[in-house]
Amino acid sequence: MTLVSLCTFAQGWPAHYDGVMLQGFYWDSYDVSTWSKLTNEADELSKFFSLIWIPNSGKTSDFHYNQRKTMGYDPCLWLDHNSCWGTEAELRHMFKTFKDKGTGFIEDVVINHKNGLGSWANFAQESVVGTTTGKTYKVEWDNTHYSQICMTDEANRNPASGLVGKITGAADTGEDFNGFRDLDHTNATTQANVKTYLDFLLNELGYVGFRYDMVKGYNAYYTGLYNSEVKPRFSVGEYWDGNKSKVVDWINKTKMNGNIQSAAFDFPLKYQINDAFNNGKWRRLASDCLSNDAYYSRYSVSFVDNHDTGRYDYNDGNAPVYGYVEAANAFILSMPGTPCVFFPHWQKYKRAIKQLILARRAAGIDNQSKILVSQAKDEGFVLNVEGSKGKLLLLLGKKVSYPTTGYRFAFKGEGFEIYLSNGLDLTEINNVTDAPHTFTLPSGLTVDTKERCAFFEAPSSWGNPSKISCWNWDHTANYTKGNWPGTDCKMVCLTDKGRAVYKWTMREGDKKSGTADSEGIIFSYKKDSKTIQTKDMPFVNGGYYTLEGLQSVAPSVSTSISNLNADASNGRLKQKGWYTLQGQKLCQQPMQSGIYIHDGKKQVVK
């Protein structure tokens, strides 16, 4: 679907929308997400993404005074778009370049709160004559009685603000945000300012829609009010909550004249993805969320990670996927809803994501497609979705047997396989030439046959501790004695960057039978009587882990080919052919050097 076809206002989000969105930034991505650098990537990005979500492009107070870069969640100037990401001229040039190729941009709109220009609440009075529209855009603020700031804002209580007892706005209509001034959206002048700002973004600068930040901070009615009057083609709210009913309630409360005015990010699905891919709780992928709801999938924007959840070294609410990232992207790109790909995932797993988007297109999957099968099976998950052109079958996890009659194999990646209906054209998928993602292991790592083990590269922040412990479990047992923090690891080498690599091996007697609703592995160490640990990460035997999760598998891990499910009716043959050491069957002899299984025996390809 191109932007040209969306000439009228789409309520909330277009029906049967088949585009894919890219989050074109991550936290502190100042060197890679500038307008000029994104423009340089227009030819490639526009082939796969219909929408790109970028940071707030307005100038901040810090950048105005001292050129200090921030992510834009400290908004200050609404009509000046010369920011740390680039000049307004570069922004406009980027929009035109991509628009000519059929791709539009989503602005990260932050209207829950606002920063003063040099102090807590001296909001900038702005007036600009548009070069595109010829209109005069003006926003005005009450910097005397502060009637546009919520009286419940912390500035009304903190003596350091100089505003205690001076703020006269109404109480906040949502959750308080401690950091900048909470705007009073019940105030008529505030409402007029917001509408002016959004009109400027759409009709003067050329955005096609909005990503509303922290919509829990003010009543959903106001998102509906603004959108119904300004009429963006796309709107998605960040209602950060894992409870589907609460997200649905927010969506419904954006209604104006009975029509929903905004989509929402599928945070319920995000937490289900974490449970499945980090902890082996595959059945969670069938739990209720926006994307698998036949009515609300139109208003679902799904994601694996974003700038907040994807920060591995950030412990306040972060929740990255720590393994099988390709497979997690395969899931959202096969589901109804509008998938939003995280920029680091695109950079790292470009081949797989390109093929997945092309497979979605080939089957004609859109945000209201029908789910035929969605179920946990064996040690993984099966998803079957019907698009306007055909069907897509996705097999996820370590081991899944499922009939593929009526389908043909399209491609596979780490932890997933894609099949498409017979008769669908796979030419574009097969023509993707990007190299698959690889990780270079330190040399000299060894794994004995039948050994249960894992490797961990300690981050620089951990130093090289003398003792690291491992905690490993699955649905049937704990393999590290069952007493936290588990069993000791042995330092086996240093990386070329001087980071210590530790190896854990299960010893006789370490296994303790028991039941659990998850599986995984954790590494930890003691520092000044405090335990420092990784997050729960998916366990793969012989896996090589960093703080960011599973990176690779040591090459000497024995693979039990006999455990691979085979179904002669769908062409998956036992033992015959080429397999990776993770047990994934290849279509042909591998071109990349490494150790593989061929006809049941290990073979080195040079």
Side-chain angles (χ1 to χ4, degrees):
M1 178 178 291
T2 64
L3 297 177
V4 175
S5 66
L6 300 169
C7 56
T8 58
F9 169 56
Q11 293 163 352
W13 201 272
H16 297 290
Y17 182 68
D18 59 3
V20 176
M21 184 161 71
L22 172 71
Q23 180 176 3
F25 67 99
Y26 51 91
W27 203 266
D28 293 337
S29 63
Y30 305 115
D31 293 333
V32 299
S33 299
T34 64
W35 311 148
S36 59
K37 289 190 176 180
L38 289 175
T39 302
N40 289 338
E41 298 180 39
D43 286 343
E44 181 178 38
L45 292 177
S46 63
K47 291 177 182 177
F48 298 95
F49 300 103
S50 300
L51 296 170
I52 300 178
W53 159 29
I54 58 175
N56 188 308
S57 57
K59 181 186 287 186
T60 64
S61 177
D62 274 333
F63 194 75
H64 177 77
Y65 283 112
N66 55 34
Q67 302 291 292
R68 190 177 81 85
K69 298 176 180 180
T70 69
M71 292 300 299
Y73 298 106
D74 51 341
C76 181
L77 294 162
W78 282 4
L79 305 181
D80 183 342
H81 289 261
N82 295 287
S83 71
C84 67
W85 307 100
T87 66
E88 183 177 310
E90 291 171 330
L91 181 72
R92 289 175 182 266
H93 176 62
M94 178 176 71
F95 288 172
K96 183 179 187 309
T97 301
F98 276 90
K99 182 179 180 180
D100 291 344
K101 300 175 185 296
T103 298
F105 282 81
I106 299 289
E107 155 80 341
D108 202 323
V109 171
V110 188
I111 55 173
N112 170 70
H113 53 270
K114 197 174 191 301
N115 192 17
L117 188 61
S119 68
W120 285 58
N122 62 327
F123 294 163
Q125 316 293 349
E126 299 180 77
S127 181
V128 172
V129 177
T131 59
T132 300
T133 63
K135 292 171 56 176
T136 297
Y137 295 90
K138 180 181 291 187
V139 293
E140 299 177 309
W141 302 96
D142 175 9
N143 290 341
T144 302
H145 301 291
Y146 305 103
S147 59
Q148 293 157 274
I149 300 174
C150 295
M151 63 184 301
T152 47
D153 188 88
E154 69 275 11
N156 217 14
R157 304 185 300 273
N158 190 334
S161 70
L163 299 172
V164 176
K166 297 180 180 180
I167 295 175
T168 62
D172 205 328
T173 60
E175 295 182 2
D176 288 336
F177 175 76
N178 292 326
F180 303 100
R181 309 292 69 74
D182 289 330
L183 292 180
D184 176 11
H185 288 271
T186 71
N187 182 283
T189 306
T190 300
Q191 293 176 15
N193 286 348
V194 172
K195 293 170 189 175
T196 296
Y197 171 41
L198 299 180
D199 181 30
F200 182 82
L201 294 175
L202 284 180
N203 299 310
E204 176 58 33
L205 291 182
Y207 284 100
V208 299
F210 312 133
R211 177 265 186 188
Y212 285 103
D213 178 65
M214 199 186 166
V215 296
K216 279 189 174 183
Y218 53 99
N219 195 293
Y221 164 83
Y222 298 104
T223 299
L225 175 67
Y226 302 140
N227 282 351
S228 66
E229 295 199 24
V230 182
K231 296 179 170 45
R233 282 173 276 185
F234 304 89
S235 172
V236 56
E238 184 211 27
Y239 194 91
W240 192 330
D241 202 296
N243 187 321
K244 179 196 171 186
S245 64
K246 291 183 178 180
V247 183
V248 165
D249 185 56
W250 181 85
I251 292 172
N252 287 332
K253 285 180 177 177
T254 69
K255 285 182 179 178
M256 297 294 290
N257 300 318
N259 295 315
I260 289 171
Q261 300 295 319
S262 184
F265 284 105
D266 198 346
F267 274 94
L269 179 60
K270 160 62 181 168
Y271 288 108
Q272 293 159 19
I273 285 172
N274 278 23
D275 282 345
F277 293 97
N278 287 351
N279 303 318
K281 299 181 181 180
W282 295 106
R283 66 185 182 280
R284 287 280 282 138
L285 293 180
S287 298
D288 285 345
C289 61
L290 301 181
S291 297
N292 62 18
D293 186 303
Y295 181 79
Y296 287 101
S297 65
R298 170 179 173 177
Y299 305 106
S300 169
V301 177
S302 56
F303 65 103
V304 174
D305 271 312
N306 64 28
H307 60 293
D308 283 319
T309 70
R311 289 189 275 173
Y312 299 98
D313 58 350
Y314 180 64
N315 293 316
D316 184 13
N318 68 324
V321 169
Y322 286 94
Y324 303 114
V325 176
E326 284 188 356
N329 277 280
F331 185 69
I332 67 166
L333 287 164
S334 302
M335 284 282 284
T338 298
C340 182
V341 175
F342 190 33
F343 202 34
H345 294 173
W346 165 254
Q347 293 172 312
K348 195 172 185 179
Y349 306 101
K350 189 172 290 187
R351 177 186 177 88
I353 290 174
K354 283 183 177 181
Q355 291 182 311
L356 289 163
I357 292 173
L358 293 172
R360 182 181 182 88
R361 281 185 199 162
I365 295 174
D366 62 38
N367 61 354
Q368 293 177 280
S369 291
K370 183 179 180 181
I371 297 175
L372 303 175
V373 178
S374 177
Q375 65 180 40
K377 185 171 177 60
D378 303 325
E379 295 180 43
F381 195 84
V382 176
L383 176 70
N384 192 198
V385 179
E386 184 174 31
S388 60
K389 302 174 185 176
K391 299 174 185 178
L392 184 154
L393 176 64
L394 170 66
L395 305 183
L396 290 169
K398 300 177 182 178
K399 183 178 71 173
V400 177
S401 59
Y402 195 79
T404 59
T405 303
Y407 297 83
R408 61 173 170 159
F409 173 78
F411 62 97
K412 65 171 60 180
E414 185 184 40
F416 76 91
E417 295 180 1
I418 293 283
Y419 294 80
L420 292 171
S421 298
N422 289 337
L424 292 181
D425 188 358
L426 306 185
T427 303
E428 283 194 277
I429 295 172
N430 294 332
N431 286 342
V432 173
T433 58
D434 300 81
H437 168 67
T438 58
F439 180 89
T440 303
L441 290 166
S443 60
L445 300 183
T446 59
V447 177
D448 294 333
T449 303
K450 297 183 180 180
E451 178 184 21
R452 186 181 182 96
C453 66
F455 299 88
F456 178 66
E457 179 185 312
S460 57
S461 60
W462 285 25
N464 295 334
S466 59
K467 180 180 177 181
I468 279 186
S469 300
C470 177
W471 181 254
N472 178 231
W473 77 101
D474 62 19
H475 300 290
T476 64
N478 182 287
Y479 299 90
T480 47
K481 296 184 178 179
N483 296 313
W484 177 260
T487 56
D488 294 347
C489 302
K490 178 183 178 182
M491 193 175 83
V492 292
C493 68
L494 293 175
T495 68
D496 55 4
K497 294 183 179 179
R499 294 176 184 171
V501 177
Y502 299 80
K503 181 181 179 182
W504 162 73
T505 298
M506 186 187 78
R507 290 172 284 273
E508 187 175 353
D510 285 356
K511 180 179 178 180
K512 302 295 180 183
S513 298
T515 59
D517 65 350
S518 65
E519 58 186 17
I521 191 167
I522 297 172
F523 297 94
S524 65
Y525 80 106
K526 284 275 191 179
K527 182 179 181 181
D528 301 327
S529 75
K530 181 181 179 181
T531 299
I532 309 297
Q533 67 178 68
T534 65
K535 299 287 186 178
D536 295 10
M537 301 185 290
F539 175 71
V540 173
N541 193 31
Y544 186 93
Y545 296 84
T546 68
L547 199 63
E548 296 182 2
L550 177 66
Q551 302 298 328
S552 187
V553 180
S556 298
V557 174
S558 63
T559 302
S560 179
I561 297 297
S562 61
N563 286 338
L564 292 175
N565 287 293
D567 184 343
S569 66
N570 65 31
R572 302 167 88 190
L573 303 177
K574 284 185 179 179
Q575 299 189 359
K576 297 293 183 182
W578 291 88
Y579 291 81
T580 68
L581 291 176
Q582 293 92 333
Q584 296 171 335
K585 191 175 188 301
L586 304 177
C587 299
Q588 59 185 16
Q589 180 174 334
M591 301 294 291
Q592 185 176 350
S593 62
I595 301 176
Y596 298 86
I597 303 296
H598 180 52
D599 292 345
K601 298 178 181 180
K602 288 184 183 178
Q603 184 163 325
V604 177
V605 175
K606 296 183 179 180

